[in-house]
């Protein structure tokens, strides 16, 4: 995406936002942020009508959030001198299985993988998709995932894929199974987008999780049409995980589902996030990370999303820890 976007640093965490290749950090305009826990609503019919095939092809990837060393050091210094704040909460481990049954897990044949096209098939090719929206008047894209939910209509993505620089995105739609310009399972326009209170209030990188609620399309709910992945919360660190998304910045073009896999690390620099060797680029933001992923069926338990990378640590992706606040967001979305 052309131009540079803004972000800010709080005492508790570095808050980064970026368009493609952006690294500048500054505070958004005063009064731009919504109250904690807020959600945005939109007319799904209007949003669906906005996205023609040409407009989707013209959408520019919203970059992974980018964090530079100088700004990281400044954020750390502020945090050290500020009053203590609570860490990402660790509560009871919770897991919601996929909507569709899974077969016994085979050997991890595609483990480890720093980034490449997913050719394994399975349900992940239907539940994962591209997200399209307008951001600061520009057509943009991220990634998302359909998950098992009470309403059968919940999509999980990154917080910055629903709200960035104090503004909620508009014309938000989800295209599951997107490939080569095709929308084989329809275009699902959101009636509501949500994020964690910490991201909504101050864009805290530790809580960069978003969700969307999409009404039925042609008489079917989302997970009736494409299935729903499982979700898991408070599962700990250092896990074997798979990350999926639709990177649309070079060397990728957004036409295919890309994945990475590996044993995760805990961010050694500043955040409380998971980290993984992964070369996915802008547009992959919001794509799902799975624990207990079954390559044979393409199902797993979503435990994070693609979020950000450090400018001084290439080919490494970070994703937020799914703790109590992510669970609360999921419950808020699935009960909408």
């Amino acid at each position: 995406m052309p131009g540079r976007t803004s972000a800010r640093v709080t005492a508790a965490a570095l808050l980064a936002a970026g368009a493609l290749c952006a690294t500048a950090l500054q505070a958004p305009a005063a009064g731009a942020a919504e109250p904690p826990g807020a959600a945005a609503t939109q007319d799904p019919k209007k949003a669906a009508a906005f996205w023609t095939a040409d407009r989707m092809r013209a959408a520019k990837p919203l970059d992974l959030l980018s964090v530079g060393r100088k700004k990281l050091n400044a954020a750390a210094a502020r945090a050290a001198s500020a009053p203590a704040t609570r860490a990402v909460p660790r509560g009871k481990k919770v897991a919601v299985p996929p909507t569709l049954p899974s077969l016994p897990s085979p050997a991890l044949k595609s483990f480890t993988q720093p980034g490449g096209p997913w050719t394994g098939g399975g349900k992940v090719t239907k539940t994962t998709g591209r997200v399209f929206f307008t951001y600061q008047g520009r057509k943009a894209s991220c990634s998302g995932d359909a998950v098992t939910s009470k309403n059968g209509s919940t999509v999980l993505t990154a917080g910055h894929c629903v709200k960035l620089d104090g503004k909620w995105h508009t014309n938000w739609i989800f295209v599951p199974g997107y490939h080569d310009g095709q929308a084989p399972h329809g275009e699902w326009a959101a009636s509501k987008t949500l994020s964690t209170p910490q991201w909504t209030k101050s864009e805290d990188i530790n809580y960069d999780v978003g969700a969307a609620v999409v009404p039925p399309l042609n008489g079917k709910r989302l997970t009736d049409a494409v299935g729903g992945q499982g979700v898991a919360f408070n599962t700990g660190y250092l896990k074997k995980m798979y990350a999926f998304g639709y990177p649309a910045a070079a060397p990728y073009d957004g036409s295919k589902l890309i994945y990475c896999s590996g044993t995760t690390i805990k961010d050694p620099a500043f955040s409380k996030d998971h980290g993984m060797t992964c070369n996915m680029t802008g547009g992959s933001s919001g794509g799902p990370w799975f624990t207990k992923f079954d390559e044979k069926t393409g199902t797993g338990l979503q435990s994070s999303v693609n979020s950000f990378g450090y400018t001084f640590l290439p080919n490494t992706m970070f994703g937020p820890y799914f703790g109590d606040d992510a669970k609360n967001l999921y419950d808020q979305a699935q009960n909408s």
Side-chain angles (χ1 to χ4, degrees):
M1 180 175 298
R4 301 170 72 89
T5 62
S6 63
R8 57 181 163 186
V9 174
T10 67
L14 183 64
L15 309 175
L20 197 58
C21 301
T23 56
L25 300 175
Q26 62 186 38
E34 299 285 346
T41 58
Q42 68 174 18
D43 181 346
K45 291 183 179 179
K46 183 178 179 181
F50 176 84
W51 286 104
T52 63
D54 286 343
R55 282 176 171 172
M56 282 193 284
R57 283 191 289 268
K60 301 297 183 182
L62 191 70
D63 200 10
L64 293 169
L65 302 185
S66 181
V67 179
R69 188 181 298 275
K70 182 181 292 186
K71 298 300 180 182
L72 180 69
N73 291 340
R78 290 190 184 187
S81 62
T85 57
R86 68 188 184 95
V88 178
R90 307 286 187 263
K92 182 180 179 181
K93 183 177 178 180
V94 177
V96 179
T99 357
L100 299 173
S102 148
L103 299 175
S105 296
L108 299 176
K109 297 178 182 179
S110 302
F111 203 85
T112 58
Q113 168 62 253
W118 175 252
T119 59
K123 292 302 175 185
V124 71
T125 63
K126 292 185 176 181
T127 62
T128 307
R130 287 189 78 177
V131 169
F132 295 94
F133 50 87
T134 50
Y135 162 67
Q136 295 185 348
R138 292 169 285 180
K139 295 176 285 291
S141 71
C142 274
S143 301
D145 183 52
V147 294
T148 299
S149 57
K150 292 178 182 177
N151 60 12
S153 303
T154 297
V155 178
L156 292 183
T157 186
H160 70 273
C161 294
V162 296
K163 183 175 186 280
L164 187 58
D165 297 332
K167 298 290 185 180
W168 292 94
H169 303 323
T170 56
N171 297 315
W172 200 101
I173 68 167
F174 174 60
V175 185
Y178 181 95
H179 65 88
D180 302 309
Q182 304 298 311
H185 309 294
E187 301 168 12
W188 301 73
S191 57
K192 178 187 288 188
T193 51
L194 317 87
S195 189
T196 58
Q198 295 87 350
W199 182 264
T200 301
K201 181 180 180 181
S202 57
E203 298 182 0
D204 186 330
I205 200 71
N206 290 291
Y207 301 89
D208 183 21
V209 189
V213 178
V214 296
L217 182 65
N218 300 324
K220 284 188 175 182
R221 301 183 307 170
L222 175 62
T223 56
D224 294 334
V226 301
Q229 295 287 351
V231 288
F233 305 93
N234 295 301
T235 57
Y237 291 95
L238 308 179
K239 300 290 184 180
K240 289 183 171 65
M241 297 179 78
Y242 284 67
F244 290 83
Y246 283 88
Y252 302 109
D253 63 6
S255 65
K256 293 179 175 61
L257 181 63
I258 305 298
Y259 84 106
C260 299
S261 63
T263 300
T264 61
I265 61 171
K266 185 176 180 181
D267 183 3
F270 188 77
S271 77
K272 305 297 183 182
D273 288 12
H274 303 280
M276 181 191 302
T277 299
C278 186
N279 70 2
M280 281 197 273
T281 58
S284 66
S285 291
W289 291 34
F290 298 110
T291 52
K292 297 187 177 180
F293 184 76
D294 183 332
E295 290 189 350
K296 187 173 183 180
T297 61
T299 58
L301 301 179
Q302 185 169 350
S303 304
S304 187
V305 295
N306 299 324
S307 175
F308 81 98
Y310 292 111
T311 57
F312 53 85
L313 194 61
N315 298 322
T316 304
M317 177 93 73
F318 291 89
Y321 184 92
F322 270 22
D324 291 348
D325 287 277
K327 174 64 164 58
N328 291 341
L329 173 66
Y330 165 74
D331 286 340
Q332 186 181 358
Q334 73 167 342
N335 289 317
S336 294

